[in-house]
Amino acid sequence: KMVHDYDIVRVDSKGRITVPLRIREELGLQSGTYVTVKLERDEKRASISLFAGPDAHLIELHLKIPDRPGALARAAKILGDANLDLMMSSSRTIKKGDLAEWVVVADASQSVVTLEDVKKKILESRAVIALEVKEFAAEQ
């Protein structure tokens, strides 16, 4: 059990910090684990949270979709049918009634099809206007 819930660590010349062992163990962090680092501007603070385990194959999708009811749901169904685990997303209207953007972070480790097949299917469905897919680097 932790006596206190903080340690003071030093930032190295590349901007890295080492999360102390006892905190890594408490959070379940291990080599290859993905975390989110959230900036809290007003407090001049960053927080680290467990996001995905080391076996995850994280991808980020940027979808431009029609700004119409059901458009996002149609795109989400295709991603779900491919067995992509949608872990985080945000959407916004770019031009009311015309264009919206949906950004998704998903785990593709259990996907039943290739990423190329997912891209092809989603573009053929006309559920999206444009699509970009970025894979997270295995090691950073």
Side-chain angles (χ1 to χ4, degrees):
K1 183 175 160 123
M2 284 192 203
V3 176
H4 54 83
D5 59 359
Y6 67 89
D7 276 6
I8 296 173
V9 297
R10 195 169 206 172
V11 177
D12 75 10
S13 63
K14 293 184 179 181
R16 299 175 299 197
I17 63 166
T18 299
V19 178
L21 177 61
R22 67 189 185 91
I23 293 175
R24 289 195 314 264
E25 288 174 343
E26 181 86 15
L27 294 176
L29 303 180
Q30 54 185 294
S31 179
T33 299
Y34 291 91
V35 298
T36 57
V37 180
K38 180 182 177 189
L39 173 63
E40 298 168 34
R41 277 187 185 86
D42 294 341
E43 293 84 16
K44 296 270 190 226
R45 176 175 57 210
S47 60
I48 299 171
S49 302
L50 179 63
F51 188 73
D55 296 332
H57 175 198
L58 295 186
I59 59 172
E60 184 175 80
L61 302 101
H62 287 253
L63 303 94
K64 301 283 193 228
I65 59 176
D67 185 32
R68 289 191 282 285
L72 192 146
R74 283 190 294 280
K77 181 173 182 347
I78 293 167
L79 299 178
D81 289 347
N83 210 31
L84 294 176
D85 182 6
L86 309 185
M87 301 182 70
M88 182 168 50
S89 74
S90 65
S91 61
R92 67 184 179 104
T93 297
I94 295 173
K95 186 176 179 192
K96 184 74 176 145
D98 185 37
L99 183 64
E101 175 184 63
W102 187 35
V103 179
V104 178
V105 176
D107 179 3
S109 64
Q110 303 298 312
S111 181
V112 294
V113 295
T114 67
L115 283 182
E116 284 305 313
D117 287 343
V118 172
K119 285 193 245 182
K120 184 178 174 186
K121 185 164 186 164
I122 204 162
L123 288 169
E124 285 175 352
S125 74
R126 302 194 192 283
V128 302
I129 297 163
L131 171 68
E132 290 179 37
V133 178
K134 177 184 111 182
E135 294 187 61
F136 283 75
E139 287 291 326
Q140 292 192 3

